[in-house]
Amino acid sequence: MSLSLPDCREMDSADPLARHRDAFALPERIIYLDGNSLGALPKLAAQRVHDVISRQWGQDLIKSWNLHDWIGAPARVGGKIARLIGAKPNEVMAADSTSLNVFKTLHAALRLRPDRRIILSDEANFPTDLYMAQGLAELLGSSHEIRIVPLDRIATALTEEIAVLMLTEVDYRTGRLHDMAALTKAAHDKRAIALWDLAHSAGAFPVDLNGCGADFAVGCGYKYLNGGPGAPAFIFVAERWHDTAEQPLFGWMGHEAPFAFDLDYRPRPGIHRFLVGTPPILSLTALEAGLDLFADVDLADLRRKSGALGDLFIALVEQELPGSGLVLASPRKAAERGSQVSFRHPEGYPIMQALIARGVIGDFRAPDILRFGLAPLYVSFADIWNAVAHLKAVMAGMEWQRPEFRRRAAVT
Ligand SMILES: *Cc1c(COP(=O)(O)O)cnc(C)c1O
């Protein structure tokens, strides 16, 4: 039985999340399937940032740190992220970038295992996480080592030598979802610390950090949380480590008494010691607006819809484009995927450029991956139908052969 556009429209009318689409300022005639790279603009973000600029910054000036609780923004915004990732509000801060938070948490984790020297990660992990680990190992005088193995060898590589297991829950290329509970338990069985990157998880489906016993986590504000380009990231430290974990960047915002201006650093108790410098209020304002859109979202609906959008995409590509050479790179089972579907094709780059020229925005990841992010708050089932229809036209008309689609831009 074949699927049609009316079937997709029916799925949209039965979708409990469909009403959220209107909260986003999406351009007309664009099908936006790149929310895993840069989330769409919440209408509320534009209003709130304007208010903070004109009224708070413009009129109340420096008084706003107290008057409008600018100083409390990292903890307040972190508290709103907590619900999405299965953490307590006092375990999360919105701060810095994901890369920096990897550095901070990784160092804190290594200090909790001073008798061990190895950071274990998988070779499909996002490069910046591996780079930060390499830089940290070098800073520590090469006493530490980063060991990178394929994911299916993590279990055997987890020995008593491993200080930290550092993984990203969703593979950024294939969308493969890793078993956080099982891998965290495997790490703990060897007394290793578990550090998770939730860049492609937070806001896409419910995460259960505490249920899984995770020790540390980091993640992005500008992907599924819709915080805007370069939005602050987040950092999670399990409460049981609050008194012992110490991060290496001794900034004044992590000091016990920043406005005492003491000459010596004393870390503030709790998650606050993971802050470094002055919080970026305009960016935090936009991120908080993005998070407020999740306030009345049932996270189980998020998971169900994200799986259904992916299932539909895969079914339609197979129905409409048989023999196109597009090979599914994501797990077929929704339960094993994050919120994206990816296909391999040797001409992946120009195919994606031709699609973008038609208004279907996904992205390309080297060497041959076409990636389609399915943000459940604003992507509709009809969008999926239309995206696949454009893909079919691109392939049938060999549109991707046009020379302008082969030129590589700085950002892919
Ligand atoms: C997107 C992403 C990052 C990005 O880190 P930034 O510091 O924000 O540039 C880090 N890790 C993973 C797994 C990502 O997907």
Side-chain angles (χ1 to χ4, degrees):
M1 205 194 67
S2 75
L3 288 155
S4 64
L5 180 57
D7 294 330
C8 299
R9 296 228 164 95
E10 222 165 273
M11 292 179 204
D12 282 323
S13 43
D15 170 17
L17 297 179
R19 65 195 166 87
H20 290 278
R21 182 185 176 97
D22 191 46
F24 293 88
L26 284 161
E28 271 183 56
R29 286 192 299 278
I30 289 289
I31 300 172
Y32 193 62
L33 304 179
D34 215 358
N36 53 331
S37 228
L38 175 65
L41 167 66
K43 292 174 183 168
L44 195 59
Q47 294 162 14
R48 293 245 189 106
V49 170
H50 181 260
D51 179 62
V52 169
I53 288 179
S54 59
R55 191 171 58 90
Q56 300 187 4
W57 181 14
Q59 299 300 313
D60 296 328
L61 289 157
I62 201 166
K63 290 183 291 180
S64 297
W65 285 105
N66 293 312
L67 192 60
H68 302 295
D69 196 27
W70 284 358
I71 198 69
R76 186 177 68 247
V77 176
K80 292 180 181 185
I81 296 169
R83 182 180 82 97
L84 304 176
I85 59 175
K88 296 182 199 166
N90 67 338
E91 291 175 317
V92 186
M93 277 286 174
D96 300 321
S97 64
T98 305
S99 303
L100 270 174
N101 289 337
V102 167
F103 188 83
K104 285 151 54 182
T105 48
L106 198 50
H107 189 273
L110 288 175
R111 286 185 57 151
L112 295 172
R113 290 292 176 268
D115 53 326
R116 300 185 180 196
R117 300 269 168 255
I118 300 169
I119 300 161
L120 179 64
S121 192
D122 85 291
E123 61 185 19
N125 201 349
F126 193 80
T128 201
D129 298 39
L130 303 176
Y131 300 160
M132 294 311 286
Q134 288 163 18
L136 177 58
E138 201 177 290
L139 193 68
L140 294 174
S142 301
S143 57
H144 288 71
E145 175 195 331
I146 164 147
R147 194 169 287 171
I148 304 171
V149 303
L151 190 86
D152 55 12
R153 280 204 236 129
I154 289 284
T156 42
L158 259 173
T159 64
E160 310 272 334
E161 292 175 295
I162 305 300
V164 188
L165 174 64
M166 175 179 77
L167 295 173
T168 296
E169 191 187 17
V170 177
D171 183 314
Y172 73 102
R173 285 199 191 89
T174 64
R176 178 172 164 192
L177 174 67
H178 304 326
D179 187 339
M180 182 187 286
L183 287 161
T184 301
K185 183 175 180 306
H188 288 172
D189 285 348
K190 302 289 181 192
R191 255 189 87 250
I193 300 283
L195 164 56
W196 286 95
D197 187 328
L198 306 178
H200 294 277
S201 310
F205 54 85
V207 177
D208 191 10
L209 285 174
N210 282 329
C212 296
D215 299 292
F216 296 92
V218 300
C220 270
Y222 52 81
K223 292 173 179 165
Y224 293 101
L225 299 181
N226 308 309
F234 63 86
I235 183 165
F236 158 89
V237 180
E239 200 168 31
R240 62 183 173 282
W241 296 124
H242 280 191
D243 294 333
T244 40
E246 263 190 40
Q247 59 104 350
L249 304 177
F250 288 4
W252 69 316
M253 287 296 144
H255 193 280
E256 190 173 26
F259 290 90
F261 299 103
D262 287 344
L263 293 188
D264 292 316
Y265 181 77
R266 284 189 323 267
R268 187 164 160 183
I271 187 77
H272 278 88
R273 66 179 56 180
F274 281 81
L275 295 181
V276 182
T278 305
I281 297 303
L282 299 181
S283 302
L284 281 165
T285 300
L287 174 58
E288 188 167 11
L291 288 164
D292 285 344
L293 300 186
F294 286 92
D296 61 344
V297 169
D298 180 339
L299 301 183
D301 286 341
L302 217 53
R303 175 79 278 208
R304 265 192 298 275
K305 183 174 177 187
S306 132
L309 288 167
D311 287 345
L312 178 66
F313 203 119
I314 295 167
L316 286 177
V317 166
E318 289 175 355
Q319 172 184 307
E320 300 292 312
L321 289 102
S324 64
L326 288 163
V327 176
L328 182 64
S330 301
R332 189 169 287 275
K333 282 194 200 143
E336 294 167 13
R337 284 196 311 266
S339 205
Q340 71 182 62
V341 287
S342 304
F343 293 88
R344 292 183 195 281
H345 193 289
E347 302 292 348
Y349 185 80
I351 292 170
M352 184 53 78
Q353 300 317 302
L355 263 180
I356 293 170
R358 285 173 159 270
V360 180
I361 304 184
D363 62 21
F364 171 79
R365 285 293 173 265
D368 59 355
I369 297 253
L370 294 123
R371 205 168 65 145
F372 301 96
L374 310 170
L377 284 192
Y378 54 78
V379 173
S380 71
F381 292 94
D383 282 340
I384 303 298
W385 173 274
N386 290 322
V388 174
H390 282 293
L391 183 56
K392 188 176 178 179
V394 164
M395 299 308 285
M398 304 283 235
E399 285 174 24
W400 51 269
Q401 289 186 334
R402 300 215 313 248
E404 69 264 34
F405 295 143
R406 301 195 161 270
R407 247 171 268 127
R408 299 250 174 158
V411 176
T412 64

